[in-house]
Amino acid sequence: MISLSCRFPFHMANFHLPLDIMETSCVSSIHMKVLLQLSFLFVLTLLGEAISYILPFAFPGTLISMFLLLILLGTGAVKDIQLEESANFFSKYMALFFVPSGVEIIENLEILKSSWIPLVAISLISLVITFFVTAKAVELSEYLIGRTNND
């Protein structure tokens, strides 16, 4: 089992905690929890980028990172509660992540004006395809869940 050391300066006690340090009293501050959780996500992203670099074909490292996180969550190696604070942090400040995109769109408005019809058409077509695929995925999930409950 992987363990981490935690040192308290007021009585200099040194003891080992399990890897789920995010749920222990060693990390009491919400900011420290977010920092640890974000560090875990950044290491996972770095690992995905490294795997992407090694692959003999082009594949985005961020997608590999998401697959790795999905595997970790699916197997129970990482629990969703262990990433709750960072998820809340990202949700709270999500609007800030769109500011650079919005500024770039406004700066290149002339380019968009000349090709707005194809952009709207592509957006609407992709919206319909996304709705269709999502509906079929839900139908398949309901079918598979119903089939396993009947067995």
Side-chain angles (χ1 to χ4, degrees):
M1 172 175 249
I2 299 172
S3 64
L4 299 171
S5 291
C6 184
R7 185 172 281 243
F8 291 99
F10 51 84
H11 58 78
M12 303 304 274
N14 192 10
F15 60 97
H16 296 281
L17 293 173
L19 188 58
D20 61 348
I21 190 170
M22 296 163 206
E23 298 175 358
T24 64
S25 62
C26 178
V27 183
S28 60
S29 169
I30 188 73
H31 300 297
M32 192 63 174
K33 286 182 181 181
V34 170
L35 183 63
L36 282 172
Q37 293 169 9
L38 289 177
S39 298
F40 171 75
L41 293 174
F42 286 140
V43 166
L44 203 59
T45 303
L46 183 64
L47 183 62
E49 290 294 333
I51 293 170
S52 172
Y53 182 75
I54 294 171
L55 289 175
F57 53 89
F59 198 83
T62 52
L63 285 179
I64 295 172
S65 302
M66 286 191 279
F67 287 135
L68 291 173
L69 183 60
L70 178 67
I71 290 168
L72 290 173
L73 288 169
T75 59
V78 174
K79 296 180 178 37
D80 58 347
I81 194 80
Q82 292 174 315
L83 299 174
E84 184 176 8
E85 284 86 3
S86 62
N88 291 338
F89 173 79
F90 278 127
S91 296
K92 184 177 179 181
Y93 297 108
M94 188 182 296
L96 292 176
F97 297 119
F98 291 102
V99 169
S101 303
V103 169
E104 193 67 28
I105 288 172
I106 291 172
E107 285 182 355
N108 295 310
L109 203 53
E110 291 301 318
I111 297 170
L112 292 176
K113 283 182 183 178
S114 64
S115 59
W116 71 272
I117 293 175
L119 287 173
V120 170
I122 290 170
S123 297
L124 291 175
I125 291 169
S126 64
L127 178 71
V128 170
I129 291 171
T130 302
F131 282 161
F132 178 76
V133 170
T134 303
K136 291 300 175 186
V138 168
E139 286 177 5
L140 178 65
S141 299
E142 288 175 346
Y143 170 75
L144 292 174
I145 290 171
R147 197 172 93 188
T148 56
N149 289 341
N150 292 336
D151 290 342

